Amino acid sequence: MATIKDVAREAGVSIATVSRVINNSPKAGKASITSVHSAMKKLGYRPNANARALVSKNSSTIGVLVSDISDPFFGSLIKAVDQVARVNNKHLLIGNGYHDANTEREAIELLINSCRESLIIHAKALSAEELIGFAKEVPGFVLINRYIPEIADRCIAFDNFKGAYMATEFLINNGHKHIAYINSNHKIDDASERKAGYLQALKDHNLPCPAQYSISADSNDEGGKAAMIELLSKNIPISAVLTYNDFMAAGVLSALEENNIAVPAQISLVGFDNGLISRYVHPKLTTINYPVEIMARQATQLSLKLAKKEKYTPETRIFSPTLVKRLSVSKNYSD
């Protein structure tokens, strides 16, 4: 039996377009209507009552797209969205994008089918042009952790460059000159912006930044551990390490412990995000605070206001990082 996905594939359009045609939406173009009806006839597809109601019935839902729901960072984001949603008698539908353009696109289209008014989207792989197109289609479409100038009024973002710069400068001010950076291997803005902040801080303080001090890996504890082992194998002087996130820092701690290298006595360490794990590793991790819960609540409030066509100006559109000082950094006198 043919499905709505089969129809979309046969017609060469998105699932959202098929839904618009089925529901007689005025946004459906003539060419789309013709191709969808032709595909439905060819495949013998007959939309049922549920399919016809996909777009029209669910103004009581908010769609949320994250990269990976199993990541505690995105768990915090979802919980914050849900807190605002419940106050407004809304329910959540959640999709995973996995930093993959096709997966993000399909997830957004499916969410549009069920949540035609409000979407909170964390999408890193899709082009700005596609996201702008989705924003035109959904009145409450809001991007979180990404800034696109053309839809700046739909964006709640974070200054990743400043966060990495701040962390690197903190290490420099503590006497460190040989600072390694372990980055995420995802090809996303966060990774490039954080690396740029690290490099700029070194440059501004007239410190060398050889390529061998920067390495990319999976953005989890195993990736951090493997990257630290690789750095140690290079036999280069390292007095401090900055990581893309706190989970990578936890992996770095594991690698250093296994090699009898004390933190912070021999190597200082700074993470990023201020996740729950940063408070419970040993030593407790100095890190950069990423206010994801505040950002998510504000994004949800913005989405709901936009969906109702009500004027609303968020208190902050681009959030700034703050340094959280704990026990993983010490003064360095040997560099």
Side-chain angles (χ1 to χ4, degrees):
M1 180 180 295
T3 67
I4 193 171
K5 285 186 178 182
D6 297 326
V7 174
R9 190 181 303 110
E10 177 66 28
V13 299
S14 69
I15 295 173
T17 297
V18 176
S19 291
R20 285 193 289 270
V21 172
I22 291 173
N23 289 279
N24 299 314
S25 169
K27 293 183 179 180
K30 291 182 179 180
S32 296
I33 293 171
T34 300
S35 61
V36 169
H37 280 300
S38 176
M40 289 167 61
K41 183 177 180 180
K42 179 179 178 180
L43 298 173
Y45 177 80
R46 286 185 173 82
N48 56 30
N50 289 334
R52 290 187 182 280
L54 275 173
V55 172
S56 61
K57 71 177 181 178
N58 280 326
S59 61
S60 64
T61 57
I62 296 176
V64 184
L65 176 68
V66 296
S67 293
D68 186 351
I69 195 173
S70 68
D71 186 328
F73 176 88
F74 293 111
S76 297
L77 186 158
I78 292 168
K79 182 177 181 180
V81 173
D82 189 51
Q83 288 171 342
V84 178
R86 286 176 177 273
V87 172
N88 289 273
N89 298 313
K90 304 285 186 180
H91 300 282
L92 300 190
L93 290 178
I94 302 166
N96 286 316
Y98 298 115
H99 295 310
D100 176 78
N102 291 329
T103 306
E104 289 181 352
R105 184 184 303 110
E106 182 175 323
I108 292 173
E109 289 175 345
L110 289 172
L111 288 171
I112 287 175
N113 288 339
S114 299
C115 314
R116 67 188 172 95
E117 294 183 353
S118 295
L119 294 180
I120 313 298
I121 300 298
H122 186 286
K124 291 294 185 177
L126 280 177
S127 68
E129 290 73 20
E130 281 196 83
L131 292 170
I132 291 169
F134 283 128
K136 292 177 180 177
E137 187 173 336
V138 180
F141 184 98
V142 173
L143 277 177
I144 188 167
N145 193 26
R146 185 164 176 179
Y147 181 80
I148 298 176
E150 292 85 348
I151 52 171
D153 60 333
R154 308 286 195 96
C155 299
I156 301 294
F158 178 75
D159 196 336
N160 284 287
F161 176 94
K162 184 177 179 181
Y165 188 103
M166 181 183 295
T168 308
E169 188 170 58
F170 177 68
L171 290 168
I172 294 169
N173 289 339
N174 275 275
H176 297 277
K177 297 179 181 178
H178 296 97
I179 304 169
Y181 177 54
I182 299 177
N183 200 13
S184 168
N185 57 15
H186 288 301
K187 306 301 181 183
I188 60 176
D189 292 344
D190 297 42
S192 58
E193 290 167 3
R194 292 179 192 183
K195 183 175 180 179
Y198 155 77
L199 293 174
Q200 190 63 49
L202 294 176
K203 181 179 179 181
D204 289 350
H205 288 269
N206 299 311
L207 292 176
C209 45
Q212 60 186 343
Y213 276 81
S214 182
I215 190 169
S216 298
D218 292 340
S219 55
N220 53 35
D221 58 328
E222 292 182 359
K225 181 176 182 178
M228 190 66 238
I229 291 172
E230 183 173 341
L231 284 170
L232 292 174
S233 71
K234 293 180 179 181
N235 197 28
I236 54 178
I238 297 173
S239 68
V241 178
L242 170 64
T243 63
Y244 173 81
N245 64 23
D246 296 333
F247 283 99
M248 298 187 88
V252 169
L253 280 171
S254 177
L256 293 176
E257 181 181 9
E258 290 178 5
N259 286 275
N260 297 313
I261 299 173
V263 175
Q266 293 172 272
I267 290 182
S268 288
L269 178 63
V270 178
F272 206 109
D273 287 345
N274 193 28
L276 185 64
I277 193 173
S278 65
R279 283 166 268 174
Y280 294 103
V281 293
H282 181 75
K284 293 182 179 181
L285 187 64
T286 293
T287 185
I288 294 295
N289 185 56
Y290 189 123
V292 63
E293 295 92 348
I294 299 173
M295 292 171 62
R297 285 194 290 269
Q298 192 157 297
T300 309
Q301 292 165 352
L302 174 60
S303 176
L304 292 171
K305 292 293 185 180
L306 289 172
K308 295 178 181 178
K309 296 181 171 58
E310 296 178 0
K311 290 184 178 180
Y312 176 73
T313 302
E315 294 179 1
T316 308
R317 291 195 181 276
I318 301 179
F319 283 75
S320 287
T322 53
L323 182 69
V324 181
K325 298 179 183 178
R326 295 198 179 99
L327 304 175
S328 61
V329 175
S330 66
K331 292 281 187 180
N332 180 64
Y333 302 101
S334 59
D335 270 359

